[in-house]
Structures are given as C-alpha cells and as structure tokens.
Amino acid sequence: QVRLVESGGGLVQAGGSLRLSCEASGSIDGINALAWYRQVLGNHRVMVAVITSGGITDYHDSVKGRFTISRDGAKNTVYLQMDLLKPEDTAVYYCNADHGRGGSRQIYWGQGTQVTVSS
C-alpha cells in the first residue's frame, strides 16, 4: 500500500511558476515510477511528467522545456517545478505511483491539487 499526499497548488498569473510536491509513504521500496497527471473537468487524465526509480524522466510535449520533475529519495518526495505557466495548464494535478511487478502491480493516486493560471 502506498499513500500519496500532494501540496503546492494555487492561483498564479500566466508566465509565473509553481512547485508541486508529492510525499509518498507506505511500501515505497516497490515503487517503479512516480508521475504527475492532470485533468480538466470532463476530460481524461493526461500524464504530464514521469520519473522512474532509475531517474529517467519523460514529459508531455506541451510542457517540455517548462516543467521539471525531480525526486528527493531521502524525503520520498517527488516534485513538479512548473515555469512559464500558461492558462491552458489550468487543471487538477494528481500524483501517481506505479508499484510492484506482474500480478502484484498496482497504481496509486493522490487526492489532487488545483492549479489555476490566469491570463
């Protein structure tokens, strides 16, 4: 079992920055990757950024060059630094953990944090 708690959302003007944090607790040794997704009301969740246990990162094309995902192993925390924010980045952002192998593989979600970018 993995528990994810996000923080850091809020309201920011276009061009500004925010940093989201997600603290993982529980069976963290089995986490394969941590990711940030976002969801606009009425749409599916879309992966924004991911970091594997080996430190490999990947990003949605729409945020490349503006967002940076990182992980603090000592604090079991994953961060999403969001710069040059645009109104279209407005969404609820969710932390996601990919945990376990084969038949024991599970996906965990945080409760979400709202990010609003005003024009």
Side-chain angles (χ1 to χ4, degrees), residues 38-52:
R38 66 187 181 190
Q39 185 173 25
V40 176
L41 189 63
N43 292 345
H44 296 294
R45 289 184 190 182
V46 175
M47 192 190 77
V48 173
V50 61
I51 184 166
T52 70

Side-chain angles (χ1 to χ4, degrees), residues 4-84:
L4 303 171
V5 179
E6 301 112 332
S7 61
L11 173 64
V12 65
Q13 287 189 330
S17 299
L18 281 175
R19 189 175 82 155
L20 305 182
S21 300
C22 171
E23 183 174 359
S25 60
S27 302
I28 59 173
D29 287 345
I31 293 177
N32 304 308
L34 289 164
W36 287 96
Y37 283 67
R38 66 187 181 190
Q39 185 173 25
V40 176
L41 189 63
N43 292 345
H44 296 294
R45 289 184 190 182
V46 175
M47 192 190 77
V48 173
V50 61
I51 184 166
T52 70
S53 57
I56 297 171
T57 60
D58 198 12
Y59 299 90
H60 191 276
D61 284 347
S62 66
V63 307
K64 284 181 179 178
R66 299 188 299 120
F67 290 12
T68 303
I69 189 170
S70 61
R71 182 174 180 177
D72 184 331
K75 297 181 179 179
N76 305 318
T77 301
V78 62
Y79 304 97
L80 185 67
Q81 177 67 40
M82 304 185 294
D83 298 318
L84 300 174

